Amino acid sequence: MAVPKRRMSKSQGRKRRSHNAIKKVQLSYCVQCGTPAPSHVVCPNCGYYQGRTLVETEE
Amino acid sequence: MRGRKLGRNASHRKAMFRNMACSLICSVRVDDEDENRQKNPGRIVTTLPKAKELRPIVEKLITLAKKAQPHLVKAQEFATDAERNSSEWKTWRESEQWNKWNQAIAPAVTLRRRAFSKLRDKKAVDVLFDEIAEKFEDRPGGYTRVIKLAEVRLGDAGKQAFIEFVGENDRVKTKRQAPVVADDETEEEVAEETATDSEETAEATETESSEEKSTEES
């Protein structure tokens, strides 16, 4: 079976992983209450989505 | 295969979508006395991929139920209001009327059985044919909507969404108003613009001539 000849150096491994970073989620702000949330999602605070309240929240 | 496998084998998937379709359809009928009744009828919360896969399944069932509506209306013509096994009902049962009724309602019964074979739940089939089919009579498809929720599921961070029947909580479209401009103002503006234009040209000629002078002087 094929086997690696040399141990991978720290530098080589880290170089490979240099593109693996996860980007931050882009947040948008609720039109009604200004709570930050991912876009195209019902507002987690007030339940507002595209012109109407979809999820009633208890105060 | 078509669609998502959702980490399940065929029978598991089939059973899951059957249960989900039943839950969604039954959620339309609300029991007011039930303490644990849901706040938003006609809606279930699941993961986003499951909601998206459920959509065609439920919509096809609704199309099935809608097909039965004209047959039911037609059969109503020959039906009787008499109680079953009463003397009046017995005469109707023996008459030609019953034969016609039987003929007329047969396609609707077939469709009901087809729906039942998919759902295997009598209550869900009842709700589907009695309430949902009537509700969506004039709508040519697109009976459900899937909307994403912000919170992910605790434990596996599954993306959550809900699927609900269209008709309630519909999006209200607000048209943007065009600015109202009176006719008098526009005419004046046009007149002003032409006036300023002519002035500018006059200025330009002046500056050019002055520049020429300055070059001559130097």
Side-chain angles (χ1 to χ4, degrees):
Chain A
M1 216 179 95
V3 159
K5 190 174 187 182
R6 291 243 167 249
R7 164 200 166 110
M8 184 71 73
S9 73
K10 276 187 203 172
S11 160
Q12 274 306 324
R14 286 169 184 175
K15 271 184 198 167
R16 189 183 342 103
R17 286 190 281 273
S18 69
H19 298 290
N20 291 6
I22 297 168
K23 274 187 187 167
K24 262 192 176 178
V25 180
Q26 182 75 46
L27 294 179
S28 60
Y29 298 92
C30 174
V31 184
Q32 192 163 273
C33 67
T35 314
S39 43
H40 312 295
V41 144
V42 177
C43 173
N45 184 38
C46 63
Y48 183 84
Y49 185 65
Q50 292 192 342
R52 79 277 208 211
T53 305
L54 280 175
V55 184
E56 305 288 336
T57 45
E58 281 166 32
E59 294 296 309
Chain B
M1 67 161 272
R2 190 181 163 275
R4 301 169 176 84
K5 288 189 188 176
L6 297 165
R8 290 158 173 84
N9 60 29
S11 57
H12 186 178
R13 214 163 30 235
K14 195 176 161 194
M16 184 188 72
F17 283 125
R18 173 176 288 168
N19 286 335
M20 284 172 75
C22 284
S23 306
L24 179 60
I25 290 164
C26 288
S27 70
V28 172
R29 192 177 278 177
V30 211
D31 186 6
D32 289 332
E33 288 167 18
D34 188 5
E35 280 181 18
N36 300 324
R37 69 172 187 278
Q38 62 182 119
K39 273 186 283 178
N40 299 301
R43 173 186 293 185
I44 56 172
V45 177
T46 55
T47 63
L48 181 60
K50 271 153 90 180
K52 281 183 174 177
E53 282 294 302
L54 181 64
R55 215 153 107 90
I57 293 169
V58 170
E59 301 212 349
K60 273 165 195 159
L61 284 167
I62 295 171
T63 320
L64 210 65
K66 272 172 72 177
K67 277 183 195 159
Q69 288 303 105
H71 297 297
L72 291 172
V73 173
K74 209 178 164 191
Q76 198 61 38
E77 207 180 308
F78 310 110
T80 177
D81 298 329
E83 206 174 305
R84 202 179 166 85
N85 287 330
S86 65
S87 59
E88 200 190 329
W89 181 84
K90 274 176 183 162
T91 51
W92 172 75
R93 177 70 179 78
E94 299 296 320
S95 67
E96 183 64 21
Q97 197 82 336
W98 176 80
N99 225 344
K100 281 180 181 168
W101 175 81
N102 201 16
Q103 290 280 322
I105 209 160
V109 174
T110 315
L111 287 164
R112 250 187 119 89
R113 284 177 183 160
R114 270 176 68 187
F116 183 76
S117 78
K118 295 255 162 56
L119 289 170
R120 303 299 300 175
D121 186 303
K122 279 186 181 173
K123 193 194 163 195
V125 174
D126 275 345
V127 177
L128 182 66
F129 278 72
D130 298 344
E131 292 174 29
I132 296 171
E134 278 175 33
K135 193 174 157 192
F136 293 129
E137 216 167 3
D138 303 323
R139 182 179 283 272
Y143 311 113
T144 55
R145 74 165 70 90
V146 174
I147 288 179
K148 292 171 206 160
L149 295 170
E151 290 93 355
V152 292
R153 195 159 59 187
L154 192 69
D156 65 352
K159 276 182 186 157
Q160 295 212 283
F162 64 73
I163 176 166
E164 70 174 1
F165 289 112
V166 175
E168 287 161 47
N169 303 322
D170 282 345
R171 192 169 160 184
V172 198
K173 272 191 182 170
T174 48
K175 273 191 179 173
R176 205 177 285 169
Q177 294 259 319
V180 185
V181 185
D183 293 343
D184 300 348
E185 283 179 26
T186 49
E187 280 172 18
E188 280 173 17
E189 278 172 17
V190 171
E192 277 173 18
E193 275 174 26
T194 47
T196 47
D197 281 356
S198 57
E199 278 172 21
E200 275 170 16
T201 46
E203 279 173 9
T205 47
E206 273 177 29
T207 47
E208 274 171 23
S209 57
S210 62
E211 274 172 18
E212 279 167 22
K213 279 178 191 171
S214 60
T215 47
E216 280 172 10
E217 281 170 15
S218 61

